[in-house]
Amino acid sequence: MSDNLKKFINQLSLKNVDYYLISTSDENLLEYAPKQNMRLKWLTNFTGSNGIALISKNKKFFFTDGRYILQAKKEIQNEFQVLDQSNENILTFIAKRLKEIKLMIDFRLFTVGFIKDLKRIAKLRSIKIYDDKKKISDQEWKNRPEGIKKKIFHLNEKVSGENILSKKQKLLNLSKYEYLILTSSDSVCWLMNIRGYD
């Protein structure tokens, strides 16, 4: 077992929880997270873009899709059982196999829909869910890479194909509402024709 995983599991014991759920996503729910947000890679050594680990002191499960099954088996520690999520996804797994446990999860790394589904299953299976407000992985990750700190830049119309006002008008014309709130970073970047270096 890697030192990172040992430290992480020790923290779970101190928090008095049975399992921890962690994914490849970051707090912006990006599929391809920047290096400083690759928490699952730090913990398991998995370098793919789609994975979820369910970790306890004695049992460790790793869920990914068909693209990454062989890669996951090569990269992550032998302690993990690698599962193809097209056969059984993490929510189905929890609903079938776990009950009356304490489960910790960093809510930032999952969609609202996922958290709602998890809470529904938890209620049926007498599972207590705790938000990892102290961020165990972030505390234990001592040599965490620095984030890239550069100004954003604008794409000109030749590259983006359309200016901001035109995009905004099209979006509003598709809706009966006067205002539209965008929260996903890729949608904001598309609308504003901006990009970053991370």
Side-chain angles (χ1 to χ4, degrees):
M1 188 184 304
S2 73
D3 286 344
N4 293 342
L5 192 53
K6 279 180 191 171
K7 289 176 192 173
F8 192 84
I9 289 170
N10 285 340
Q11 284 299 315
L12 294 188
S13 300
L14 294 173
K15 303 279 184 194
N16 194 28
V17 293
D18 302 304
Y19 282 90
Y20 193 99
L21 196 60
I22 186 168
S23 80
T24 43
S25 293
D26 69 357
E27 44 271 68
N28 295 306
L29 299 178
L30 298 173
E31 183 180 0
Y32 300 100
K35 287 180 183 178
Q36 74 272 14
N37 292 339
M38 291 182 174
R39 296 170 180 91
L40 193 61
K41 181 185 175 199
W42 167 80
L43 191 58
T44 65
N45 205 39
F46 177 69
T47 60
S49 67
N50 182 14
I52 297 178
L54 180 64
I55 299 166
S56 76
K57 184 177 180 180
N58 299 316
K59 294 181 179 178
K60 293 150 196 69
F61 304 97
F62 192 92
F63 297 80
T64 190
D65 62 49
R67 295 173 296 167
Y68 294 121
I69 295 294
L70 293 176
Q71 180 178 331
K73 288 179 178 177
K74 284 182 181 178
E75 290 180 341
I76 67 178
Q77 292 100 12
N78 293 332
E79 290 92 351
F80 283 89
Q81 180 183 345
V82 177
L83 299 164
D84 187 338
Q85 62 190 15
S86 61
N87 297 328
E88 184 173 39
N89 69 37
I90 183 66
L91 292 170
T92 308
F93 181 92
I94 291 170
K96 284 182 182 176
R97 303 201 202 184
L98 301 180
K99 65 179 180 179
E100 297 174 356
I101 60 154
K102 294 175 183 174
L103 174 66
M104 186 171 271
I105 178 172
D106 184 345
F107 284 177
R108 302 173 304 162
L109 311 184
F110 295 87
T111 65
V112 171
F114 182 92
I115 298 296
K116 282 182 178 177
D117 288 342
L118 181 62
K119 285 184 174 181
R120 180 181 48 78
I121 291 164
K123 192 173 182 181
L124 296 171
R125 302 290 287 176
S126 300
I127 296 170
K128 291 184 179 177
I129 299 175
Y130 299 90
D131 181 12
D132 180 14
K133 292 180 180 174
K134 298 250 172 127
K135 318 302 176 203
I136 295 173
S137 61
D138 293 0
Q139 287 180 355
E140 291 299 321
W141 193 353
K142 302 302 180 195
N143 297 319
R144 190 173 177 184
E146 289 275 334
I148 296 170
K149 294 177 182 175
K150 288 188 177 182
K151 289 184 178 181
I152 61 171
F153 61 92
H154 289 266
L155 299 176
N156 65 40
E157 216 174 310
K158 287 179 184 175
V159 177
S160 66
E162 196 171 358
N163 66 46
I164 300 167
L165 290 175
S166 171
K167 289 181 181 181
K168 184 184 86 168
Q169 199 55 53
K170 279 183 181 175
L171 285 175
L172 292 174
N173 287 344
L174 291 171
S175 169
K176 61 181 179 179
Y177 302 104
E178 293 177 40
Y179 293 93
L180 175 69
I181 298 172
L182 296 178
T183 58
S184 66
S185 56
D186 50 355
S187 295
V188 172
C189 288
W190 169 80
L191 177 63
M192 302 301 293
N193 288 337
I194 55 175
R195 298 294 184 271
Y197 289 90
D198 57 352

PDB file of all heavy atoms in Angstrom, residues 130-160:
ATOM      1  N   TYR A 130     -21.434  11.946   5.379  1.00  0.00           N
ATOM      2  CA  TYR A 130     -20.773  13.117   5.952  1.00  0.00           C
ATOM      3  C   TYR A 130     -20.014  13.853   4.858  1.00  0.00           C
ATOM      4  O   TYR A 130     -19.297  13.237   4.065  1.00  0.00           O
ATOM      5  CB  TYR A 130     -19.782  12.698   7.042  1.00  0.00           C
ATOM      6  CG  TYR A 130     -20.436  11.968   8.191  1.00  0.00           C
ATOM      7  CD1 TYR A 130     -20.563  10.579   8.164  1.00  0.00           C
ATOM      8  CD2 TYR A 130     -20.933  12.658   9.293  1.00  0.00           C
ATOM      9  CE1 TYR A 130     -21.169   9.903   9.207  1.00  0.00           C
ATOM     10  CE2 TYR A 130     -21.536  11.984  10.346  1.00  0.00           C
ATOM     11  CZ  TYR A 130     -21.651  10.602  10.295  1.00  0.00           C
ATOM     12  OH  TYR A 130     -22.249   9.939  11.328  1.00  0.00           O
ATOM     13  N   ASP A 131     -20.179  15.173   4.809  1.00  0.00           N
ATOM     14  CA  ASP A 131     -19.416  16.000   3.878  1.00  0.00           C
ATOM     15  C   ASP A 131     -18.017  16.211   4.453  1.00  0.00           C
ATOM     16  O   ASP A 131     -17.876  16.601   5.612  1.00  0.00           O
ATOM     17  CB  ASP A 131     -20.122  17.346   3.690  1.00  0.00           C
ATOM     18  CG  ASP A 131     -19.406  18.264   2.708  1.00  0.00           C
ATOM     19  OD1 ASP A 131     -18.499  17.796   1.997  1.00  0.00           O
ATOM     20  OD2 ASP A 131     -19.766  19.451   2.662  1.00  0.00           O
ATOM     21  N   ASP A 132     -17.008  15.945   3.656  1.00  0.00           N
ATOM     22  CA  ASP A 132     -15.618  16.121   4.102  1.00  0.00           C
ATOM     23  C   ASP A 132     -15.258  17.607   4.055  1.00  0.00           C
ATOM     24  O   ASP A 132     -14.569  18.066   3.151  1.00  0.00           O
ATOM     25  CB  ASP A 132     -14.679  15.297   3.220  1.00  0.00           C
ATOM     26  CG  ASP A 132     -13.222  15.429   3.632  1.00  0.00           C
ATOM     27  OD1 ASP A 132     -12.959  15.941   4.738  1.00  0.00           O
ATOM     28  OD2 ASP A 132     -12.351  15.027   2.842  1.00  0.00           O
ATOM     29  N   LYS A 133     -15.721  18.343   5.032  1.00  0.00           N
ATOM     30  CA  LYS A 133     -15.502  19.791   5.049  1.00  0.00           C
ATOM     31  C   LYS A 133     -14.040  20.158   5.282  1.00  0.00           C
ATOM     32  O   LYS A 133     -13.584  21.217   4.869  1.00  0.00           O
ATOM     33  CB  LYS A 133     -16.384  20.431   6.118  1.00  0.00           C
ATOM     34  CG  LYS A 133     -17.865  20.351   5.776  1.00  0.00           C
ATOM     35  CD  LYS A 133     -18.730  20.971   6.830  1.00  0.00           C
ATOM     36  CE  LYS A 133     -20.191  20.860   6.421  1.00  0.00           C
ATOM     37  NZ  LYS A 133     -21.093  21.329   7.460  1.00  0.00           N
ATOM     38  N   LYS A 134     -13.290  19.282   5.930  1.00  0.00           N
ATOM     39  CA  LYS A 134     -11.870  19.574   6.201  1.00  0.00           C
ATOM     40  C   LYS A 134     -10.965  19.132   5.046  1.00  0.00           C
ATOM     41  O   LYS A 134      -9.778  19.396   5.040  1.00  0.00           O
ATOM     42  CB  LYS A 134     -11.437  18.873   7.490  1.00  0.00           C
ATOM     43  CG  LYS A 134     -12.217  19.358   8.705  1.00  0.00           C
ATOM     44  CD  LYS A 134     -11.355  20.165   9.622  1.00  0.00           C
ATOM     45  CE  LYS A 134     -12.209  20.781  10.709  1.00  0.00           C
ATOM     46  NZ  LYS A 134     -11.718  20.506  12.039  1.00  0.00           N
ATOM     47  N   LYS A 135     -11.504  18.412   4.083  1.00  0.00           N
ATOM     48  CA  LYS A 135     -10.787  17.999   2.867  1.00  0.00           C
ATOM     49  C   LYS A 135      -9.541  17.170   3.199  1.00  0.00           C
ATOM     50  O   LYS A 135      -8.414  17.653   3.141  1.00  0.00           O
ATOM     51  CB  LYS A 135     -10.402  19.196   1.999  1.00  0.00           C
ATOM     52  CG  LYS A 135     -11.474  20.267   1.863  1.00  0.00           C
ATOM     53  CD  LYS A 135     -12.761  19.745   1.302  1.00  0.00           C
ATOM     54  CE  LYS A 135     -13.833  20.821   1.261  1.00  0.00           C
ATOM     55  NZ  LYS A 135     -15.186  20.284   1.231  1.00  0.00           N
ATOM     56  N   ILE A 136      -9.765  15.908   3.563  1.00  0.00           N
ATOM     57  CA  ILE A 136      -8.678  15.021   3.993  1.00  0.00           C
ATOM     58  C   ILE A 136      -7.551  14.976   2.975  1.00  0.00           C
ATOM     59  O   ILE A 136      -6.378  15.116   3.313  1.00  0.00           O
ATOM     60  CB  ILE A 136      -9.198  13.590   4.246  1.00  0.00           C
ATOM     61  CG1 ILE A 136     -10.179  13.580   5.405  1.00  0.00           C
ATOM     62  CG2 ILE A 136      -8.040  12.639   4.538  1.00  0.00           C
ATOM     63  CD1 ILE A 136     -10.865  12.240   5.608  1.00  0.00           C
ATOM     64  N   SER A 137      -7.891  14.764   1.697  1.00  0.00           N
ATOM     65  CA  SER A 137      -6.837  14.621   0.680  1.00  0.00           C
ATOM     66  C   SER A 137      -6.000  15.890   0.567  1.00  0.00           C
ATOM     67  O   SER A 137      -4.779  15.838   0.441  1.00  0.00           O
ATOM     68  CB  SER A 137      -7.430  14.244  -0.681  1.00  0.00           C
ATOM     69  OG  SER A 137      -8.318  15.236  -1.129  1.00  0.00           O
ATOM     70  N   ASP A 138      -6.654  17.050   0.633  1.00  0.00           N
ATOM     71  CA  ASP A 138      -5.933  18.318   0.507  1.00  0.00           C
ATOM     72  C   ASP A 138      -4.994  18.538   1.694  1.00  0.00           C
ATOM     73  O   ASP A 138      -3.903  19.087   1.545  1.00  0.00           O
ATOM     74  CB  ASP A 138      -6.915  19.484   0.381  1.00  0.00           C
ATOM     75  CG  ASP A 138      -7.700  19.437  -0.923  1.00  0.00           C
ATOM     76  OD1 ASP A 138      -7.478  18.506  -1.722  1.00  0.00           O
ATOM     77  OD2 ASP A 138      -8.540  20.322  -1.148  1.00  0.00           O
ATOM     78  N   GLN A 139      -5.409  18.099   2.870  1.00  0.00           N
ATOM     79  CA  GLN A 139      -4.554  18.239   4.052  1.00  0.00           C
ATOM     80  C   GLN A 139      -3.341  17.316   3.988  1.00  0.00           C
ATOM     81  O   GLN A 139      -2.240  17.684   4.387  1.00  0.00           O
ATOM     82  CB  GLN A 139      -5.351  17.932   5.326  1.00  0.00           C
ATOM     83  CG  GLN A 139      -6.333  19.008   5.701  1.00  0.00           C
ATOM     84  CD  GLN A 139      -7.095  18.669   6.972  1.00  0.00           C
ATOM     85  OE1 GLN A 139      -6.960  17.588   7.534  1.00  0.00           O
ATOM     86  NE2 GLN A 139      -7.895  19.601   7.432  1.00  0.00           N
ATOM     87  N   GLU A 140      -3.553  16.101   3.496  1.00  0.00           N
ATOM     88  CA  GLU A 140      -2.477  15.099   3.481  1.00  0.00           C
ATOM     89  C   GLU A 140      -1.535  15.239   2.290  1.00  0.00           C
ATOM     90  O   GLU A 140      -0.425  14.728   2.315  1.00  0.00           O
ATOM     91  CB  GLU A 140      -3.083  13.688   3.487  1.00  0.00           C
ATOM     92  CG  GLU A 140      -3.764  13.311   4.778  1.00  0.00           C
ATOM     93  CD  GLU A 140      -2.817  13.326   5.967  1.00  0.00           C
ATOM     94  OE1 GLU A 140      -1.660  12.915   5.827  1.00  0.00           O
ATOM     95  OE2 GLU A 140      -3.239  13.780   7.050  1.00  0.00           O
ATOM     96  N   TRP A 141      -1.952  15.925   1.244  1.00  0.00           N
ATOM     97  CA  TRP A 141      -1.154  16.061   0.015  1.00  0.00           C
ATOM     98  C   TRP A 141      -0.113  17.148   0.232  1.00  0.00           C
ATOM     99  O   TRP A 141      -0.344  18.311  -0.041  1.00  0.00           O
ATOM    100  CB  TRP A 141      -2.086  16.401  -1.138  1.00  0.00           C
ATOM    101  CG  TRP A 141      -1.491  16.282  -2.501  1.00  0.00           C
ATOM    102  CD1 TRP A 141      -0.196  16.029  -2.829  1.00  0.00           C
ATOM    103  CD2 TRP A 141      -2.195  16.435  -3.743  1.00  0.00           C
ATOM    104  NE1 TRP A 141      -0.042  16.014  -4.191  1.00  0.00           N
ATOM    105  CE2 TRP A 141      -1.241  16.253  -4.771  1.00  0.00           C
ATOM    106  CE3 TRP A 141      -3.510  16.717  -4.067  1.00  0.00           C
ATOM    107  CZ2 TRP A 141      -1.597  16.341  -6.119  1.00  0.00           C
ATOM    108  CZ3 TRP A 141      -3.862  16.804  -5.405  1.00  0.00           C
ATOM    109  CH2 TRP A 141      -2.905  16.610  -6.421  1.00  0.00           C
ATOM    110  N   LYS A 142       1.050  16.744   0.717  1.00  0.00           N
ATOM    111  CA  LYS A 142       2.086  17.701   1.134  1.00  0.00           C
ATOM    112  C   LYS A 142       2.828  18.347  -0.032  1.00  0.00           C
ATOM    113  O   LYS A 142       3.170  19.505   0.017  1.00  0.00           O
ATOM    114  CB  LYS A 142       3.112  17.019   2.068  1.00  0.00           C
ATOM    115  CG  LYS A 142       2.490  16.413   3.317  1.00  0.00           C
ATOM    116  CD  LYS A 142       1.736  17.422   4.141  1.00  0.00           C
ATOM    117  CE  LYS A 142       1.118  16.800   5.374  1.00  0.00           C
ATOM    118  NZ  LYS A 142       0.107  17.630   6.012  1.00  0.00           N
ATOM    119  N   ASN A 143       3.099  17.612  -1.093  1.00  0.00           N
ATOM    120  CA  ASN A 143       3.845  18.157  -2.242  1.00  0.00           C
ATOM    121  C   ASN A 143       2.901  18.478  -3.404  1.00  0.00           C
ATOM    122  O   ASN A 143       3.221  18.212  -4.565  1.00  0.00           O
ATOM    123  CB  ASN A 143       4.930  17.175  -2.696  1.00  0.00           C
ATOM    124  CG  ASN A 143       5.962  16.946  -1.617  1.00  0.00           C
ATOM    125  OD1 ASN A 143       6.375  17.885  -0.944  1.00  0.00           O
ATOM    126  ND2 ASN A 143       6.350  15.708  -1.412  1.00  0.00           N
ATOM    127  N   ARG A 144       1.778  19.037  -3.072  1.00  0.00           N
ATOM    128  CA  ARG A 144       0.762  19.338  -4.086  1.00  0.00           C
ATOM    129  C   ARG A 144       1.282  20.377  -5.082  1.00  0.00           C
ATOM    130  O   ARG A 144       1.850  21.391  -4.668  1.00  0.00           O
ATOM    131  CB  ARG A 144      -0.474  19.878  -3.377  1.00  0.00           C
ATOM    132  CG  ARG A 144      -1.683  20.000  -4.244  1.00  0.00           C
ATOM    133  CD  ARG A 144      -2.876  20.370  -3.396  1.00  0.00           C
ATOM    134  NE  ARG A 144      -4.050  20.572  -4.217  1.00  0.00           N
ATOM    135  CZ  ARG A 144      -5.207  20.969  -3.749  1.00  0.00           C
ATOM    136  NH1 ARG A 144      -5.355  21.202  -2.458  1.00  0.00           N
ATOM    137  NH2 ARG A 144      -6.228  21.128  -4.558  1.00  0.00           N
ATOM    138  N   PRO A 145       1.104  20.122  -6.389  1.00  0.00           N
ATOM    139  CA  PRO A 145       1.584  21.095  -7.391  1.00  0.00           C
ATOM    140  C   PRO A 145       0.898  22.444  -7.244  1.00  0.00           C
ATOM    141  O   PRO A 145      -0.256  22.520  -6.813  1.00  0.00           O
ATOM    142  CB  PRO A 145       1.212  20.451  -8.734  1.00  0.00           C
ATOM    143  CG  PRO A 145       0.943  19.024  -8.442  1.00  0.00           C
ATOM    144  CD  PRO A 145       0.486  18.947  -7.015  1.00  0.00           C
ATOM    145  N   GLU A 146       1.615  23.482  -7.586  1.00  0.00           N
ATOM    146  CA  GLU A 146       1.042  24.839  -7.586  1.00  0.00           C
ATOM    147  C   GLU A 146       0.112  24.992  -8.783  1.00  0.00           C
ATOM    148  O   GLU A 146       0.383  24.474  -9.856  1.00  0.00           O
ATOM    149  CB  GLU A 146       2.161  25.884  -7.708  1.00  0.00           C
ATOM    150  CG  GLU A 146       3.020  26.012  -6.462  1.00  0.00           C
ATOM    151  CD  GLU A 146       2.426  26.957  -5.439  1.00  0.00           C
ATOM    152  OE1 GLU A 146       1.674  27.862  -5.835  1.00  0.00           O
ATOM    153  OE2 GLU A 146       2.716  26.767  -4.250  1.00  0.00           O
ATOM    154  N   GLY A 147      -0.965  25.717  -8.590  1.00  0.00           N
ATOM    155  CA  GLY A 147      -1.847  26.019  -9.707  1.00  0.00           C
ATOM    156  C   GLY A 147      -1.204  27.038 -10.636  1.00  0.00           C
ATOM    157  O   GLY A 147      -0.375  27.842 -10.215  1.00  0.00           O
ATOM    158  N   ILE A 148      -1.576  26.980 -11.900  1.00  0.00           N
ATOM    159  CA  ILE A 148      -1.046  27.936 -12.874  1.00  0.00           C
ATOM    160  C   ILE A 148      -1.737  29.278 -12.657  1.00  0.00           C
ATOM    161  O   ILE A 148      -2.965  29.354 -12.638  1.00  0.00           O
ATOM    162  CB  ILE A 148      -1.287  27.434 -14.311  1.00  0.00           C
ATOM    163  CG1 ILE A 148      -0.509  26.138 -14.547  1.00  0.00           C
ATOM    164  CG2 ILE A 148      -0.895  28.500 -15.330  1.00  0.00           C
ATOM    165  CD1 ILE A 148      -0.859  25.446 -15.847  1.00  0.00           C
ATOM    166  N   LYS A 149      -0.964  30.320 -12.471  1.00  0.00           N
ATOM    167  CA  LYS A 149      -1.529  31.644 -12.223  1.00  0.00           C
ATOM    168  C   LYS A 149      -1.177  32.571 -13.372  1.00  0.00           C
ATOM    169  O   LYS A 149      -0.156  33.232 -13.361  1.00  0.00           O
ATOM    170  CB  LYS A 149      -1.011  32.197 -10.893  1.00  0.00           C
ATOM    171  CG  LYS A 149      -1.504  31.399  -9.703  1.00  0.00           C
ATOM    172  CD  LYS A 149      -0.949  31.888  -8.396  1.00  0.00           C
ATOM    173  CE  LYS A 149      -1.441  31.005  -7.260  1.00  0.00           C
ATOM    174  NZ  LYS A 149      -0.848  31.367  -5.976  1.00  0.00           N
ATOM    175  N   LYS A 150      -2.017  32.554 -14.375  1.00  0.00           N
ATOM    176  CA  LYS A 150      -1.854  33.436 -15.530  1.00  0.00           C
ATOM    177  C   LYS A 150      -3.200  34.061 -15.843  1.00  0.00           C
ATOM    178  O   LYS A 150      -4.244  33.481 -15.551  1.00  0.00           O
ATOM    179  CB  LYS A 150      -1.373  32.643 -16.755  1.00  0.00           C
ATOM    180  CG  LYS A 150       0.063  32.186 -16.685  1.00  0.00           C
ATOM    181  CD  LYS A 150       0.471  31.582 -18.022  1.00  0.00           C
ATOM    182  CE  LYS A 150       1.933  31.174 -18.015  1.00  0.00           C
ATOM    183  NZ  LYS A 150       2.342  30.631 -19.317  1.00  0.00           N
ATOM    184  N   LYS A 151      -3.165  35.205 -16.459  1.00  0.00           N
ATOM    185  CA  LYS A 151      -4.416  35.868 -16.824  1.00  0.00           C
ATOM    186  C   LYS A 151      -5.125  35.090 -17.922  1.00  0.00           C
ATOM    187  O   LYS A 151      -4.484  34.464 -18.773  1.00  0.00           O
ATOM    188  CB  LYS A 151      -4.131  37.291 -17.305  1.00  0.00           C
ATOM    189  CG  LYS A 151      -3.697  38.223 -16.185  1.00  0.00           C
ATOM    190  CD  LYS A 151      -3.527  39.635 -16.707  1.00  0.00           C
ATOM    191  CE  LYS A 151      -3.149  40.571 -15.568  1.00  0.00           C
ATOM    192  NZ  LYS A 151      -2.997  41.964 -16.045  1.00  0.00           N
ATOM    193  N   ILE A 152      -6.449  35.169 -17.875  1.00  0.00           N
ATOM    194  CA  ILE A 152      -7.217  34.576 -18.964  1.00  0.00           C
ATOM    195  C   ILE A 152      -6.980  35.384 -20.235  1.00  0.00           C
ATOM    196  O   ILE A 152      -6.507  36.520 -20.175  1.00  0.00           O
ATOM    197  CB  ILE A 152      -8.727  34.542 -18.637  1.00  0.00           C
ATOM    198  CG1 ILE A 152      -9.260  35.956 -18.419  1.00  0.00           C
ATOM    199  CG2 ILE A 152      -9.016  33.653 -17.449  1.00  0.00           C
ATOM    200  CD1 ILE A 152     -10.767  36.032 -18.318  1.00  0.00           C
ATOM    201  N   PHE A 153      -7.297  34.794 -21.371  1.00  0.00           N
ATOM    202  CA  PHE A 153      -7.173  35.544 -22.624  1.00  0.00           C
ATOM    203  C   PHE A 153      -8.443  35.365 -23.449  1.00  0.00           C
ATOM    204  O   PHE A 153      -9.184  34.407 -23.276  1.00  0.00           O
ATOM    205  CB  PHE A 153      -5.931  35.106 -23.411  1.00  0.00           C
ATOM    206  CG  PHE A 153      -5.925  33.654 -23.813  1.00  0.00           C
ATOM    207  CD1 PHE A 153      -6.431  33.245 -25.046  1.00  0.00           C
ATOM    208  CD2 PHE A 153      -5.391  32.687 -22.960  1.00  0.00           C
ATOM    209  CE1 PHE A 153      -6.417  31.914 -25.423  1.00  0.00           C
ATOM    210  CE2 PHE A 153      -5.374  31.347 -23.334  1.00  0.00           C
ATOM    211  CZ  PHE A 153      -5.885  30.958 -24.555  1.00  0.00           C
ATOM    212  N   HIS A 154      -8.693  36.325 -24.318  1.00  0.00           N
ATOM    213  CA  HIS A 154      -9.888  36.308 -25.164  1.00  0.00           C
ATOM    214  C   HIS A 154      -9.544  35.741 -26.536  1.00  0.00           C
ATOM    215  O   HIS A 154      -8.484  36.016 -27.091  1.00  0.00           O
ATOM    216  CB  HIS A 154     -10.448  37.724 -25.321  1.00  0.00           C
ATOM    217  CG  HIS A 154     -11.072  38.241 -24.062  1.00  0.00           C
ATOM    218  ND1 HIS A 154     -12.419  38.119 -23.810  1.00  0.00           N
ATOM    219  CD2 HIS A 154     -10.538  38.848 -22.976  1.00  0.00           C
ATOM    220  CE1 HIS A 154     -12.689  38.634 -22.622  1.00  0.00           C
ATOM    221  NE2 HIS A 154     -11.564  39.093 -22.108  1.00  0.00           N
ATOM    222  N   LEU A 155     -10.470  34.976 -27.069  1.00  0.00           N
ATOM    223  CA  LEU A 155     -10.336  34.475 -28.439  1.00  0.00           C
ATOM    224  C   LEU A 155     -10.979  35.489 -29.380  1.00  0.00           C
ATOM    225  O   LEU A 155     -12.066  35.995 -29.093  1.00  0.00           O
ATOM    226  CB  LEU A 155     -11.058  33.137 -28.596  1.00  0.00           C
ATOM    227  CG  LEU A 155     -10.581  31.975 -27.727  1.00  0.00           C
ATOM    228  CD1 LEU A 155     -11.478  30.761 -27.965  1.00  0.00           C
ATOM    229  CD2 LEU A 155      -9.139  31.625 -28.040  1.00  0.00           C
ATOM    230  N   ASN A 156     -10.310  35.753 -30.484  1.00  0.00           N
ATOM    231  CA  ASN A 156     -10.967  36.663 -31.428  1.00  0.00           C
ATOM    232  C   ASN A 156     -12.002  35.893 -32.248  1.00  0.00           C
ATOM    233  O   ASN A 156     -12.046  34.672 -32.236  1.00  0.00           O
ATOM    234  CB  ASN A 156      -9.942  37.404 -32.298  1.00  0.00           C
ATOM    235  CG  ASN A 156      -9.175  36.470 -33.216  1.00  0.00           C
ATOM    236  OD1 ASN A 156      -9.736  35.544 -33.779  1.00  0.00           O
ATOM    237  ND2 ASN A 156      -7.881  36.711 -33.356  1.00  0.00           N
ATOM    238  N   GLU A 157     -12.808  36.636 -32.957  1.00  0.00           N
ATOM    239  CA  GLU A 157     -13.943  36.045 -33.660  1.00  0.00           C
ATOM    240  C   GLU A 157     -13.516  35.062 -34.745  1.00  0.00           C
ATOM    241  O   GLU A 157     -14.239  34.109 -35.047  1.00  0.00           O
ATOM    242  CB  GLU A 157     -14.799  37.166 -34.268  1.00  0.00           C
ATOM    243  CG  GLU A 157     -16.271  36.858 -34.235  1.00  0.00           C
ATOM    244  CD  GLU A 157     -17.124  38.017 -34.698  1.00  0.00           C
ATOM    245  OE1 GLU A 157     -16.918  39.149 -34.192  1.00  0.00           O
ATOM    246  OE2 GLU A 157     -17.976  37.793 -35.568  1.00  0.00           O
ATOM    247  N   LYS A 158     -12.331  35.247 -35.305  1.00  0.00           N
ATOM    248  CA  LYS A 158     -11.844  34.310 -36.332  1.00  0.00           C
ATOM    249  C   LYS A 158     -11.661  32.912 -35.739  1.00  0.00           C
ATOM    250  O   LYS A 158     -11.878  31.916 -36.411  1.00  0.00           O
ATOM    251  CB  LYS A 158     -10.506  34.796 -36.899  1.00  0.00           C
ATOM    252  CG  LYS A 158     -10.629  36.000 -37.799  1.00  0.00           C
ATOM    253  CD  LYS A 158      -9.268  36.433 -38.305  1.00  0.00           C
ATOM    254  CE  LYS A 158      -9.382  37.700 -39.142  1.00  0.00           C
ATOM    255  NZ  LYS A 158      -8.066  38.205 -39.555  1.00  0.00           N
ATOM    256  N   VAL A 159     -11.258  32.869 -34.473  1.00  0.00           N
ATOM    257  CA  VAL A 159     -11.036  31.583 -33.800  1.00  0.00           C
ATOM    258  C   VAL A 159     -12.341  31.034 -33.222  1.00  0.00           C
ATOM    259  O   VAL A 159     -12.684  29.862 -33.405  1.00  0.00           O
ATOM    260  CB  VAL A 159      -9.986  31.724 -32.663  1.00  0.00           C
ATOM    261  CG1 VAL A 159      -9.818  30.417 -31.910  1.00  0.00           C
ATOM    262  CG2 VAL A 159      -8.655  32.186 -33.237  1.00  0.00           C
ATOM    263  N   SER A 160     -13.101  31.892 -32.540  1.00  0.00           N
ATOM    264  CA  SER A 160     -14.324  31.430 -31.860  1.00  0.00           C
ATOM    265  C   SER A 160     -15.489  31.227 -32.832  1.00  0.00           C
ATOM    266  O   SER A 160     -16.386  30.441 -32.571  1.00  0.00           O
ATOM    267  CB  SER A 160     -14.743  32.424 -30.784  1.00  0.00           C
ATOM    268  OG  SER A 160     -15.137  33.642 -31.371  1.00  0.00           O
TER     269      SER A 160
END
